[in-house]
Amino acid sequence: MRLSFKNNLTMNCRSELLEVTVEARQVEESILSLLHTILLHRSTGKFHYKKEGTYSIGTVGTVDIDCDYIDFTFVKISSEELDRVIKKAVVEFKDALNISGSDGIGQISLEFYQKKKSRWPFSDECIPWEVWNIKVNVVNLANEQERQICREKVGEKLCEKVINIVEVINRHDYVPKMPTQSEVDNVFDTSLREVQPYLHKITYQITDSLGTSVSTTMRRLIKDTLAL
Amino acid sequence: MDSDLSTQDKKDLDKFIKFFALKTVQVIVQARLGEKICTRSSPSPTGSDWFNLAIKDIPEVTHEAKKILAGQLPGIGHSMCVEISLKTSEGDSMELETWCLEINEKCDKDIKVSYTVYDRLSVLLKSLLAVTRVTPAYKLSRKQGHDYVILYRIYFGEVQMRGLGEGFQTVRVGVVGTPVGTVTLSCAYRTNLALMSNRQFERSAPIMGIIVDHFVDPPCGSQRPANMGQPCNYRYPVHKATDDDDGEAFAGVQDSQEVCTTSFSTSPPSQCFCTLSPSPSKLSKALPLDNPQFPLVPGLVTHPLLSYQPAVLAGTPELCHTAANPSQTLHAGKEDGVLHPAQPYHGTEAHLTVEHMPNIPGSRGDNDIFSHSGEGRRSTSPSDLVETLNALTRKVGAFVNKPNARLSATMDLPFAAFAPRGLDSEDNDPMVHPPDSPSCMSPLQASLHSQGSDGSGQQDDFVMVDFRPAFSKDDLLPMDLGTFYREFQNPPQLGSVSLHISSQSMADDLVDSLPEKLAIYERNIDEFDAFVDMLQ
C-alpha cells in the first residue's frame, strides 16, 4: 500500500465516485462489499491458451456474504487469495482511518490498469483505464437506537451503490481487449490460482477532522521538528 | 440483418440466448430460496458451466423454464418473465417483483458473437447475481418460513406489472447488444409492502394486524383456508450440465409431475404454473461425489421456500402449493402495517395471553387483544370467550370473599360439602360463633357413622374422605376437628398465670408469714448450724 493522490494519466480513464457515511464498525464491511461487487464484474476464470490462438476460460464461483453490522448481503468471487488481498488493504485503510480521528474522512480507490511495456531502462507503464473511488465518512452514534437505524440505512445505501456499480459496468465502456498469451500479464493478474481479475491496485487517502490530509500533517510535523 | 450473420454465428447466438434465459431463471429463483449461495471457482474449464459462471441448475426449474419457452426464444415482443410473489399462511398473496428478459429491435451488427456477446452476457449474469440481493424481496425471502413462502412463476409474452401495486420501482440490470437485437434484463419491484386481505369472510382488518402464535394450535379447530399451502422441502440430484442438455436425464421431473397433477389450477395458456413438492424417491438421494463444491443443496434441502406451479389444465385460478408445515401463521410486522418478517414475540405474547385468559377470571384487556388480533386464526369468537369469562367470574372461588352467598354442596366450592348449611348471616357462621353442643351432625360425621344420614344425600357428588386428624380420637370426644378447635381455642387461663390475683396473694402471704418464720428460724438456729456442720 502507498499513499497516493488520484492521478489520471490518460484521457480514457473513467473515474467513478461512491460515497458512504457509516459508523466506525461498518467501515470494513461497507468497503469490502463495494470492492467485491466491482471485482465480481472485473474478474474472469483462468485463461488456458491452446494452439492456434484459442483459449478456454475457467469457472468463477460466487459466495453470498451477510454483513454483521449492516443489513446487507453482497456477492463476491469465490477466491480465498483474492479475499486476503482485498481484506488486507481494507483493514489497513480502516486502521489508518481510526488513527486519524473519530470524525475522519477517507477515500479508498480501486484502480484497474494495464501495463504498457517500455524499453529498457524505463519501467513498464501502468495506464489506468477505470478508477473507483469510495469516499468514507465516519460518524459517531450516541445510542443503540441510532445504531439500529444506521444499520438499516447503510444497508439501503449500499443497495443503491450496487445498482450504481451495475449501471456503470453494463455501459460496456472501454475494457482492455482480450490479450494473447504473451500479453495476458499486461491485462490480467495471473498470480491467483482460481480466478483472474484485471490488473488492479488499491490505494487510500486519509483526511483528518481538520480537513487536512495525513501527508500534509506529516510534512508540517517534519518541518516543525526541523525548525527547532 | 440476419443475412449478415453467418450460420454458425446465428446458431451460436441462439444458443447463447437460450442458455442465458435458462441461467437467468436459475439465478433469480435460487436467490429467492432463502439461503445463501456458495459455489466454488474452478481454474480448469469444466465445459459445462455456461458463461464461465458456477451456477448450478435446479432440474425442476430448468424443466419448467424449457416448457415455458417451448422451443422458442425471447424475442422482440416476446419477453420471458419471472414473477416472484409472496403467499401467506392465510392464503393471501402479493406480487413482489417481476424480472423481465426482453430483446428489442436495436441491433449491433459489428459486435462479435463468439466472444464479445458471450462475455457481456457473462457480465450481465454477474450483475444479475448482485442485483438479486439488493431488491426488497431478497430480505423477505431470507426470512420466509412458517408465516409465508415465496413463489415464482415463469411466463412468456407481455410483461405484467399491475400486481406490483402503486409506486413500483424499476431497475435495469444491464443490456447486451447483439446482431439480432439488444438483450435487456430489468426488474420491477414493489415498494408498498402493505398486505391487505382479499378474503371475503368476517373482518376487513389489515392482515398485518393479526398476531397468531404458530406454536400453539387453536383450541377449537382451525379456520385455515382449505387451499393453504405448506412450505416445500425437496431434494434434487446435482446434474452436470452439458452444452447440449436435450438428452439430460431428469428423473425428478416425473416425480414432480405426478405430484403436480393433484394441485393444478387454471392459468392462461401462455403461463406455466408449477407446484414443487417433495419427491419421496429423491428425499434421501446422496449428492454426487464429483460435485462436492455445491453446498447449496443442503440449504435447498431444508428450506421450504421454493414453490411454483405447473401447466394447469383446469381448476381454480388460485395459486396453490403443497408443503408440509401444518402450522403456518402470520406475524405482525410493524404497527404501520407494512409487511415485515418481524420477530414473533408479539404474536407469541398475545396468543399466550389469549390462551390463558380463561384461567384468570376478570382479566383485563380481552377486548383489546381481540381487536389487536383482528382476523387471526382464532378458534373462538370474541363473544364466546367473553361469555366464558363472565361465567367464570360468577363462580365462587375458594379465595373469593362472597359472604352472602348461600353455600351448598352443589356449588363449585372446594370442601363445600363440609361447610355448615343454612348460613345466611354472620351470626350463624360457625366460624364466628362455635356451636354450643356437638349435636349438629357434620357431613363428615354423617359419612363416618351412617351412610343413610341426611347429609349423605347431598353429598352424592362428593367423594367422602375419612378424615382422621393426628391424635384425634373420635370415640372419646364425638366431635369433628372444627368443632373441637372451636371449643378449645379459648381455654381458661391458668390461675398461676393470672398476675393480678396470684401476685397479690403471694405478697400478702409473704408479709403475713415472714415474721413467724423468722422467729422459728431464730429458735432453731442451733439445729441449723449443726446441720450445716454435718454437711461440711
Side-chain angles (χ1 to χ4, degrees), chain A residues 40-41 43 48 56-57 59-62 64 66 71 73 78 166 170 172, chain B residues 36-37 39 41-43 45 49 52 54 126-127 133 139 142 173 175:
Chain A
L40 170 69
H41 294 85
S43 302
H48 297 272
S56 59
I57 308 176
T59 301
V60 173
T62 58
D64 286 343
D66 289 337
D71 287 344
T73 300
S78 177
V166 163
N170 281 274
H172 300 298
Chain B
K36 290 196 292 185
I37 306 297
T39 58
S41 300
S42 174
D49 292 320
N52 310 116
K126 293 173 184 175
S127 299
R133 273 67 174 170
K139 288 181 184 174
R142 288 290 300 270
V173 181
V175 296

PDB file of all heavy atoms in Angstrom, chain A residues 40-41 43 48 56-57 59-62 64 66 71 73 78 166 170 172, chain B residues 36-37 39 41-43 45 49 52 54 126-127 133 139 142 173 175:
ATOM      1  N   LEU A  40     -16.199  -8.572  -8.795  1.00  0.00           N
ATOM      2  CA  LEU A  40     -17.007  -9.653  -9.367  1.00  0.00           C
ATOM      3  C   LEU A  40     -17.183  -9.452 -10.869  1.00  0.00           C
ATOM      4  O   LEU A  40     -17.117 -10.401 -11.653  1.00  0.00           O
ATOM      5  CB  LEU A  40     -18.369  -9.696  -8.667  1.00  0.00           C
ATOM      6  CG  LEU A  40     -19.446 -10.607  -9.291  1.00  0.00           C
ATOM      7  CD1 LEU A  40     -19.070 -12.065  -9.129  1.00  0.00           C
ATOM      8  CD2 LEU A  40     -20.807 -10.329  -8.674  1.00  0.00           C
ATOM      9  N   HIS A  41     -17.374  -8.197 -11.261  1.00  0.00           N
ATOM     10  CA  HIS A  41     -17.591  -7.895 -12.672  1.00  0.00           C
ATOM     11  C   HIS A  41     -16.285  -7.752 -13.436  1.00  0.00           C
ATOM     12  O   HIS A  41     -16.288  -7.789 -14.661  1.00  0.00           O
ATOM     13  CB  HIS A  41     -18.390  -6.594 -12.811  1.00  0.00           C
ATOM     14  CG  HIS A  41     -19.782  -6.692 -12.291  1.00  0.00           C
ATOM     15  ND1 HIS A  41     -20.108  -6.499 -10.970  1.00  0.00           N
ATOM     16  CD2 HIS A  41     -20.947  -6.975 -12.918  1.00  0.00           C
ATOM     17  CE1 HIS A  41     -21.416  -6.641 -10.809  1.00  0.00           C
ATOM     18  NE2 HIS A  41     -21.944  -6.936 -11.977  1.00  0.00           N
ATOM     19  N   SER A  43     -13.549  -9.638 -13.098  1.00  0.00           N
ATOM     20  CA  SER A  43     -12.725 -10.842 -12.984  1.00  0.00           C
ATOM     21  C   SER A  43     -13.295 -11.913 -13.899  1.00  0.00           C
ATOM     22  O   SER A  43     -14.503 -11.987 -14.125  1.00  0.00           O
ATOM     23  CB  SER A  43     -12.685 -11.363 -11.540  1.00  0.00           C
ATOM     24  OG  SER A  43     -12.187 -10.403 -10.653  1.00  0.00           O
ATOM     25  N   HIS A  48      -6.811 -20.508 -20.286  1.00  0.00           N
ATOM     26  CA  HIS A  48      -5.987 -21.641 -20.702  1.00  0.00           C
ATOM     27  C   HIS A  48      -5.824 -21.548 -22.216  1.00  0.00           C
ATOM     28  O   HIS A  48      -6.751 -21.817 -22.971  1.00  0.00           O
ATOM     29  CB  HIS A  48      -6.648 -22.964 -20.298  1.00  0.00           C
ATOM     30  CG  HIS A  48      -6.792 -23.116 -18.812  1.00  0.00           C
ATOM     31  ND1 HIS A  48      -5.788 -23.669 -18.029  1.00  0.00           N
ATOM     32  CD2 HIS A  48      -7.785 -22.782 -17.966  1.00  0.00           C
ATOM     33  CE1 HIS A  48      -6.192 -23.674 -16.758  1.00  0.00           C
ATOM     34  NE2 HIS A  48      -7.389 -23.133 -16.696  1.00  0.00           N
ATOM     35  N   SER A  56      -9.428 -21.226 -23.541  1.00  0.00           N
ATOM     36  CA  SER A  56     -10.638 -21.548 -22.769  1.00  0.00           C
ATOM     37  C   SER A  56     -10.528 -20.856 -21.413  1.00  0.00           C
ATOM     38  O   SER A  56      -9.442 -20.465 -20.984  1.00  0.00           O
ATOM     39  CB  SER A  56     -10.788 -23.061 -22.587  1.00  0.00           C
ATOM     40  OG  SER A  56      -9.650 -23.582 -21.921  1.00  0.00           O
ATOM     41  N   ILE A  57     -11.652 -20.726 -20.797  1.00  0.00           N
ATOM     42  CA  ILE A  57     -11.718 -19.949 -19.554  1.00  0.00           C
ATOM     43  C   ILE A  57     -12.265 -20.819 -18.425  1.00  0.00           C
ATOM     44  O   ILE A  57     -13.228 -21.582 -18.633  1.00  0.00           O
ATOM     45  CB  ILE A  57     -12.614 -18.710 -19.729  1.00  0.00           C
ATOM     46  CG1 ILE A  57     -12.171 -17.919 -20.958  1.00  0.00           C
ATOM     47  CG2 ILE A  57     -12.565 -17.830 -18.502  1.00  0.00           C
ATOM     48  CD1 ILE A  57     -13.053 -16.733 -21.272  1.00  0.00           C
ATOM     49  N   THR A  59     -13.923 -21.474 -14.535  1.00  0.00           N
ATOM     50  CA  THR A  59     -15.238 -21.141 -13.972  1.00  0.00           C
ATOM     51  C   THR A  59     -15.069 -20.299 -12.723  1.00  0.00           C
ATOM     52  O   THR A  59     -14.221 -20.587 -11.868  1.00  0.00           O
ATOM     53  CB  THR A  59     -16.001 -22.431 -13.646  1.00  0.00           C
ATOM     54  OG1 THR A  59     -16.151 -23.192 -14.846  1.00  0.00           O
ATOM     55  CG2 THR A  59     -17.370 -22.124 -13.065  1.00  0.00           C
ATOM     56  N   VAL A  60     -15.876 -19.284 -12.626  1.00  0.00           N
ATOM     57  CA  VAL A  60     -15.865 -18.404 -11.458  1.00  0.00           C
ATOM     58  C   VAL A  60     -17.039 -18.755 -10.558  1.00  0.00           C
ATOM     59  O   VAL A  60     -18.194 -18.782 -11.002  1.00  0.00           O
ATOM     60  CB  VAL A  60     -15.962 -16.927 -11.914  1.00  0.00           C
ATOM     61  CG1 VAL A  60     -16.131 -16.023 -10.704  1.00  0.00           C
ATOM     62  CG2 VAL A  60     -14.713 -16.532 -12.692  1.00  0.00           C
ATOM     63  N   GLY A  61     -16.734 -19.040  -9.322  1.00  0.00           N
ATOM     64  CA  GLY A  61     -17.792 -19.291  -8.349  1.00  0.00           C
ATOM     65  C   GLY A  61     -18.100 -18.017  -7.576  1.00  0.00           C
ATOM     66  O   GLY A  61     -17.322 -17.062  -7.560  1.00  0.00           O
ATOM     67  N   THR A  62     -19.247 -18.017  -6.923  1.00  0.00           N
ATOM     68  CA  THR A  62     -19.660 -16.836  -6.166  1.00  0.00           C
ATOM     69  C   THR A  62     -20.090 -17.249  -4.765  1.00  0.00           C
ATOM     70  O   THR A  62     -20.498 -18.388  -4.523  1.00  0.00           O
ATOM     71  CB  THR A  62     -20.823 -16.101  -6.851  1.00  0.00           C
ATOM     72  OG1 THR A  62     -21.927 -17.003  -6.995  1.00  0.00           O
ATOM     73  CG2 THR A  62     -20.415 -15.580  -8.204  1.00  0.00           C
ATOM     74  N   ASP A  64     -22.276 -15.696  -1.283  1.00  0.00           N
ATOM     75  CA  ASP A  64     -23.088 -14.669  -0.628  1.00  0.00           C
ATOM     76  C   ASP A  64     -22.503 -14.379   0.746  1.00  0.00           C
ATOM     77  O   ASP A  64     -22.217 -15.297   1.522  1.00  0.00           O
ATOM     78  CB  ASP A  64     -24.535 -15.149  -0.456  1.00  0.00           C
ATOM     79  CG  ASP A  64     -25.302 -15.141  -1.763  1.00  0.00           C
ATOM     80  OD1 ASP A  64     -24.836 -14.482  -2.717  1.00  0.00           O
ATOM     81  OD2 ASP A  64     -26.356 -15.779  -1.836  1.00  0.00           O
ATOM     82  N   ASP A  66     -23.174 -12.230   4.239  1.00  0.00           N
ATOM     83  CA  ASP A  66     -24.039 -11.397   5.085  1.00  0.00           C
ATOM     84  C   ASP A  66     -23.164 -10.508   5.954  1.00  0.00           C
ATOM     85  O   ASP A  66     -22.251 -10.994   6.624  1.00  0.00           O
ATOM     86  CB  ASP A  66     -24.907 -12.272   5.997  1.00  0.00           C
ATOM     87  CG  ASP A  66     -25.976 -13.014   5.231  1.00  0.00           C
ATOM     88  OD1 ASP A  66     -26.349 -12.555   4.130  1.00  0.00           O
ATOM     89  OD2 ASP A  66     -26.439 -14.055   5.728  1.00  0.00           O
ATOM     90  N   ASP A  71     -27.398  -4.326   7.546  1.00  0.00           N
ATOM     91  CA  ASP A  71     -28.445  -5.194   6.973  1.00  0.00           C
ATOM     92  C   ASP A  71     -28.238  -5.266   5.464  1.00  0.00           C
ATOM     93  O   ASP A  71     -28.913  -4.583   4.683  1.00  0.00           O
ATOM     94  CB  ASP A  71     -29.835  -4.618   7.295  1.00  0.00           C
ATOM     95  CG  ASP A  71     -30.196  -4.800   8.743  1.00  0.00           C
ATOM     96  OD1 ASP A  71     -29.547  -5.618   9.419  1.00  0.00           O
ATOM     97  OD2 ASP A  71     -31.121  -4.111   9.212  1.00  0.00           O
ATOM     98  N   THR A  73     -26.482  -7.903   2.173  1.00  0.00           N
ATOM     99  CA  THR A  73     -25.823  -9.113   1.665  1.00  0.00           C
ATOM    100  C   THR A  73     -25.243  -8.783   0.305  1.00  0.00           C
ATOM    101  O   THR A  73     -25.909  -8.172  -0.543  1.00  0.00           O
ATOM    102  CB  THR A  73     -26.839 -10.262   1.526  1.00  0.00           C
ATOM    103  OG1 THR A  73     -27.412 -10.562   2.795  1.00  0.00           O
ATOM    104  CG2 THR A  73     -26.157 -11.517   0.983  1.00  0.00           C
ATOM    105  N   SER A  78     -15.586 -16.344  -5.455  1.00  0.00           N
ATOM    106  CA  SER A  78     -15.097 -17.401  -4.583  1.00  0.00           C
ATOM    107  C   SER A  78     -13.605 -17.576  -4.820  1.00  0.00           C
ATOM    108  O   SER A  78     -13.173 -18.333  -5.702  1.00  0.00           O
ATOM    109  CB  SER A  78     -15.858 -18.702  -4.875  1.00  0.00           C
ATOM    110  OG  SER A  78     -15.354 -19.754  -4.098  1.00  0.00           O
ATOM    111  N   VAL A 166     -23.523  -1.534 -11.059  1.00  0.00           N
ATOM    112  CA  VAL A 166     -24.021  -2.362 -12.161  1.00  0.00           C
ATOM    113  C   VAL A 166     -24.337  -1.500 -13.383  1.00  0.00           C
ATOM    114  O   VAL A 166     -24.078  -1.890 -14.528  1.00  0.00           O
ATOM    115  CB  VAL A 166     -25.258  -3.151 -11.678  1.00  0.00           C
ATOM    116  CG1 VAL A 166     -26.067  -3.686 -12.830  1.00  0.00           C
ATOM    117  CG2 VAL A 166     -24.838  -4.288 -10.752  1.00  0.00           C
ATOM    118  N   ASN A 170     -22.383  -2.064 -16.942  1.00  0.00           N
ATOM    119  CA  ASN A 170     -23.141  -2.507 -18.110  1.00  0.00           C
ATOM    120  C   ASN A 170     -23.274  -1.417 -19.170  1.00  0.00           C
ATOM    121  O   ASN A 170     -24.001  -1.601 -20.148  1.00  0.00           O
ATOM    122  CB  ASN A 170     -24.522  -3.004 -17.676  1.00  0.00           C
ATOM    123  CG  ASN A 170     -24.465  -4.415 -17.105  1.00  0.00           C
ATOM    124  OD1 ASN A 170     -24.524  -5.411 -17.833  1.00  0.00           O
ATOM    125  ND2 ASN A 170     -24.306  -4.505 -15.794  1.00  0.00           N
ATOM    126  N   HIS A 172     -20.743  -0.910 -20.722  1.00  0.00           N
ATOM    127  CA  HIS A 172     -19.778  -1.554 -21.614  1.00  0.00           C
ATOM    128  C   HIS A 172     -18.859  -0.528 -22.250  1.00  0.00           C
ATOM    129  O   HIS A 172     -18.609  -0.538 -23.462  1.00  0.00           O
ATOM    130  CB  HIS A 172     -20.476  -2.399 -22.679  1.00  0.00           C
ATOM    131  CG  HIS A 172     -21.314  -3.491 -22.084  1.00  0.00           C
ATOM    132  ND1 HIS A 172     -20.785  -4.498 -21.317  1.00  0.00           N
ATOM    133  CD2 HIS A 172     -22.652  -3.705 -22.118  1.00  0.00           C
ATOM    134  CE1 HIS A 172     -21.760  -5.296 -20.909  1.00  0.00           C
ATOM    135  NE2 HIS A 172     -22.903  -4.842 -21.383  1.00  0.00           N
TER     136      HIS A 172
ATOM    137  N   LYS B  36     -28.171 -18.706   1.578  1.00  0.00           N
ATOM    138  CA  LYS B  36     -27.006 -18.107   0.934  1.00  0.00           C
ATOM    139  C   LYS B  36     -26.453 -19.085  -0.098  1.00  0.00           C
ATOM    140  O   LYS B  36     -26.418 -20.288   0.132  1.00  0.00           O
ATOM    141  CB  LYS B  36     -25.936 -17.783   1.980  1.00  0.00           C
ATOM    142  CG  LYS B  36     -26.335 -16.642   2.894  1.00  0.00           C
ATOM    143  CD  LYS B  36     -25.144 -16.077   3.640  1.00  0.00           C
ATOM    144  CE  LYS B  36     -24.593 -17.059   4.627  1.00  0.00           C
ATOM    145  NZ  LYS B  36     -23.503 -16.467   5.435  1.00  0.00           N
ATOM    146  N   ILE B  37     -26.026 -18.516  -1.193  1.00  0.00           N
ATOM    147  CA  ILE B  37     -25.498 -19.337  -2.278  1.00  0.00           C
ATOM    148  C   ILE B  37     -23.983 -19.351  -2.175  1.00  0.00           C
ATOM    149  O   ILE B  37     -23.350 -18.326  -1.879  1.00  0.00           O
ATOM    150  CB  ILE B  37     -25.929 -18.775  -3.643  1.00  0.00           C
ATOM    151  CG1 ILE B  37     -27.453 -18.622  -3.702  1.00  0.00           C
ATOM    152  CG2 ILE B  37     -25.444 -19.672  -4.773  1.00  0.00           C
ATOM    153  CD1 ILE B  37     -28.217 -19.896  -3.586  1.00  0.00           C
ATOM    154  N   THR B  39     -20.773 -21.178  -4.393  1.00  0.00           N
ATOM    155  CA  THR B  39     -20.228 -22.090  -5.401  1.00  0.00           C
ATOM    156  C   THR B  39     -18.737 -21.852  -5.503  1.00  0.00           C
ATOM    157  O   THR B  39     -18.247 -20.758  -5.203  1.00  0.00           O
ATOM    158  CB  THR B  39     -20.893 -21.886  -6.777  1.00  0.00           C
ATOM    159  OG1 THR B  39     -20.699 -20.525  -7.181  1.00  0.00           O
ATOM    160  CG2 THR B  39     -22.373 -22.185  -6.720  1.00  0.00           C
ATOM    161  N   SER B  41     -14.982 -21.721  -7.360  1.00  0.00           N
ATOM    162  CA  SER B  41     -14.327 -21.432  -8.630  1.00  0.00           C
ATOM    163  C   SER B  41     -13.533 -22.649  -9.063  1.00  0.00           C
ATOM    164  O   SER B  41     -13.055 -23.427  -8.230  1.00  0.00           O
ATOM    165  CB  SER B  41     -13.394 -20.230  -8.483  1.00  0.00           C
ATOM    166  OG  SER B  41     -14.099 -19.090  -8.079  1.00  0.00           O
ATOM    167  N   SER B  42     -13.391 -22.787 -10.331  1.00  0.00           N
ATOM    168  CA  SER B  42     -12.620 -23.892 -10.880  1.00  0.00           C
ATOM    169  C   SER B  42     -11.624 -23.332 -11.883  1.00  0.00           C
ATOM    170  O   SER B  42     -12.027 -22.728 -12.885  1.00  0.00           O
ATOM    171  CB  SER B  42     -13.541 -24.903 -11.570  1.00  0.00           C
ATOM    172  OG  SER B  42     -12.777 -25.899 -12.221  1.00  0.00           O
ATOM    173  N   PRO B  43     -10.339 -23.493 -11.629  1.00  0.00           N
ATOM    174  CA  PRO B  43      -9.364 -22.922 -12.555  1.00  0.00           C
ATOM    175  C   PRO B  43      -9.400 -23.570 -13.929  1.00  0.00           C
ATOM    176  O   PRO B  43      -9.104 -22.924 -14.934  1.00  0.00           O
ATOM    177  CB  PRO B  43      -8.018 -23.158 -11.857  1.00  0.00           C
ATOM    178  CG  PRO B  43      -8.272 -24.200 -10.830  1.00  0.00           C
ATOM    179  CD  PRO B  43      -9.698 -24.137 -10.468  1.00  0.00           C
ATOM    180  N   PRO B  45     -11.398 -25.192 -17.032  1.00  0.00           N
ATOM    181  CA  PRO B  45     -12.750 -25.139 -17.597  1.00  0.00           C
ATOM    182  C   PRO B  45     -13.401 -26.512 -17.550  1.00  0.00           C
ATOM    183  O   PRO B  45     -12.781 -27.520 -17.884  1.00  0.00           O
ATOM    184  CB  PRO B  45     -12.510 -24.672 -19.044  1.00  0.00           C
ATOM    185  CG  PRO B  45     -11.082 -24.975 -19.321  1.00  0.00           C
ATOM    186  CD  PRO B  45     -10.357 -24.923 -18.038  1.00  0.00           C
ATOM    187  N   ASP B  49     -20.126 -25.254 -17.564  1.00  0.00           N
ATOM    188  CA  ASP B  49     -20.592 -24.050 -16.883  1.00  0.00           C
ATOM    189  C   ASP B  49     -20.741 -22.925 -17.901  1.00  0.00           C
ATOM    190  O   ASP B  49     -19.757 -22.333 -18.334  1.00  0.00           O
ATOM    191  CB  ASP B  49     -19.609 -23.646 -15.779  1.00  0.00           C
ATOM    192  CG  ASP B  49     -19.604 -24.652 -14.642  1.00  0.00           C
ATOM    193  OD1 ASP B  49     -20.713 -25.133 -14.295  1.00  0.00           O
ATOM    194  OD2 ASP B  49     -18.530 -24.953 -14.114  1.00  0.00           O
ATOM    195  N   ASN B  52     -19.061 -19.227 -18.031  1.00  0.00           N
ATOM    196  CA  ASN B  52     -17.935 -19.344 -17.101  1.00  0.00           C
ATOM    197  C   ASN B  52     -18.325 -18.976 -15.676  1.00  0.00           C
ATOM    198  O   ASN B  52     -17.502 -18.479 -14.905  1.00  0.00           O
ATOM    199  CB  ASN B  52     -16.767 -18.446 -17.555  1.00  0.00           C
ATOM    200  CG  ASN B  52     -16.442 -18.653 -19.014  1.00  0.00           C
ATOM    201  OD1 ASN B  52     -16.578 -17.741 -19.833  1.00  0.00           O
ATOM    202  ND2 ASN B  52     -16.054 -19.880 -19.356  1.00  0.00           N
ATOM    203  N   ALA B  54     -20.204 -20.463 -12.158  1.00  0.00           N
ATOM    204  CA  ALA B  54     -20.664 -21.675 -11.476  1.00  0.00           C
ATOM    205  C   ALA B  54     -22.080 -21.435 -10.980  1.00  0.00           C
ATOM    206  O   ALA B  54     -22.297 -21.046  -9.834  1.00  0.00           O
ATOM    207  CB  ALA B  54     -19.727 -22.011 -10.327  1.00  0.00           C
ATOM    208  N   LYS B 126     -23.499 -11.815 -13.933  1.00  0.00           N
ATOM    209  CA  LYS B 126     -22.895 -11.403 -12.667  1.00  0.00           C
ATOM    210  C   LYS B 126     -23.653 -10.224 -12.074  1.00  0.00           C
ATOM    211  O   LYS B 126     -23.872 -10.146 -10.857  1.00  0.00           O
ATOM    212  CB  LYS B 126     -21.430 -11.014 -12.887  1.00  0.00           C
ATOM    213  CG  LYS B 126     -20.538 -12.167 -13.269  1.00  0.00           C
ATOM    214  CD  LYS B 126     -19.146 -11.656 -13.643  1.00  0.00           C
ATOM    215  CE  LYS B 126     -18.244 -12.770 -14.117  1.00  0.00           C
ATOM    216  NZ  LYS B 126     -16.943 -12.255 -14.600  1.00  0.00           N
ATOM    217  N   SER B 127     -24.052  -9.320 -12.931  1.00  0.00           N
ATOM    218  CA  SER B 127     -24.851  -8.191 -12.448  1.00  0.00           C
ATOM    219  C   SER B 127     -26.166  -8.681 -11.868  1.00  0.00           C
ATOM    220  O   SER B 127     -26.652  -8.167 -10.859  1.00  0.00           O
ATOM    221  CB  SER B 127     -25.113  -7.204 -13.588  1.00  0.00           C
ATOM    222  OG  SER B 127     -23.901  -6.687 -14.090  1.00  0.00           O
ATOM    223  N   ARG B 133     -29.705  -9.561  -4.915  1.00  0.00           N
ATOM    224  CA  ARG B 133     -29.506  -9.479  -3.458  1.00  0.00           C
ATOM    225  C   ARG B 133     -29.866  -8.122  -2.881  1.00  0.00           C
ATOM    226  O   ARG B 133     -29.828  -7.950  -1.647  1.00  0.00           O
ATOM    227  CB  ARG B 133     -28.036  -9.764  -3.096  1.00  0.00           C
ATOM    228  CG  ARG B 133     -27.693 -11.232  -2.895  1.00  0.00           C
ATOM    229  CD  ARG B 133     -27.790 -12.023  -4.172  1.00  0.00           C
ATOM    230  NE  ARG B 133     -27.322 -13.389  -4.014  1.00  0.00           N
ATOM    231  CZ  ARG B 133     -27.479 -14.326  -4.929  1.00  0.00           C
ATOM    232  NH1 ARG B 133     -28.083 -14.030  -6.079  1.00  0.00           N
ATOM    233  NH2 ARG B 133     -27.009 -15.546  -4.716  1.00  0.00           N
ATOM    234  N   LYS B 139     -34.607  -9.782   1.188  1.00  0.00           N
ATOM    235  CA  LYS B 139     -34.682  -9.892   2.642  1.00  0.00           C
ATOM    236  C   LYS B 139     -35.913 -10.672   3.067  1.00  0.00           C
ATOM    237  O   LYS B 139     -35.875 -11.451   4.022  1.00  0.00           O
ATOM    238  CB  LYS B 139     -34.707  -8.496   3.261  1.00  0.00           C
ATOM    239  CG  LYS B 139     -33.377  -7.781   3.179  1.00  0.00           C
ATOM    240  CD  LYS B 139     -33.444  -6.411   3.839  1.00  0.00           C
ATOM    241  CE  LYS B 139     -32.133  -5.679   3.671  1.00  0.00           C
ATOM    242  NZ  LYS B 139     -32.213  -4.294   4.165  1.00  0.00           N
ATOM    243  N   ARG B 142     -35.252 -14.320   2.603  1.00  0.00           N
ATOM    244  CA  ARG B 142     -34.333 -14.895   3.577  1.00  0.00           C
ATOM    245  C   ARG B 142     -35.029 -15.254   4.884  1.00  0.00           C
ATOM    246  O   ARG B 142     -34.532 -16.057   5.667  1.00  0.00           O
ATOM    247  CB  ARG B 142     -33.169 -13.935   3.871  1.00  0.00           C
ATOM    248  CG  ARG B 142     -32.156 -13.792   2.751  1.00  0.00           C
ATOM    249  CD  ARG B 142     -31.328 -15.048   2.548  1.00  0.00           C
ATOM    250  NE  ARG B 142     -30.576 -15.405   3.727  1.00  0.00           N
ATOM    251  CZ  ARG B 142     -29.343 -14.982   3.994  1.00  0.00           C
ATOM    252  NH1 ARG B 142     -28.737 -14.168   3.162  1.00  0.00           N
ATOM    253  NH2 ARG B 142     -28.723 -15.374   5.097  1.00  0.00           N
ATOM    254  N   VAL B 173     -30.902  -4.059 -15.018  1.00  0.00           N
ATOM    255  CA  VAL B 173     -29.710  -4.815 -14.648  1.00  0.00           C
ATOM    256  C   VAL B 173     -28.618  -4.586 -15.686  1.00  0.00           C
ATOM    257  O   VAL B 173     -27.457  -4.363 -15.337  1.00  0.00           O
ATOM    258  CB  VAL B 173     -30.036  -6.315 -14.515  1.00  0.00           C
ATOM    259  CG1 VAL B 173     -28.792  -7.096 -14.096  1.00  0.00           C
ATOM    260  CG2 VAL B 173     -31.152  -6.532 -13.505  1.00  0.00           C
ATOM    261  N   VAL B 175     -27.735  -4.367 -20.334  1.00  0.00           N
ATOM    262  CA  VAL B 175     -28.090  -4.618 -21.730  1.00  0.00           C
ATOM    263  C   VAL B 175     -26.883  -5.185 -22.443  1.00  0.00           C
ATOM    264  O   VAL B 175     -25.739  -4.912 -22.081  1.00  0.00           O
ATOM    265  CB  VAL B 175     -28.551  -3.334 -22.443  1.00  0.00           C
ATOM    266  CG1 VAL B 175     -29.830  -2.807 -21.827  1.00  0.00           C
ATOM    267  CG2 VAL B 175     -27.477  -2.274 -22.392  1.00  0.00           C
TER     268      VAL B 175
END
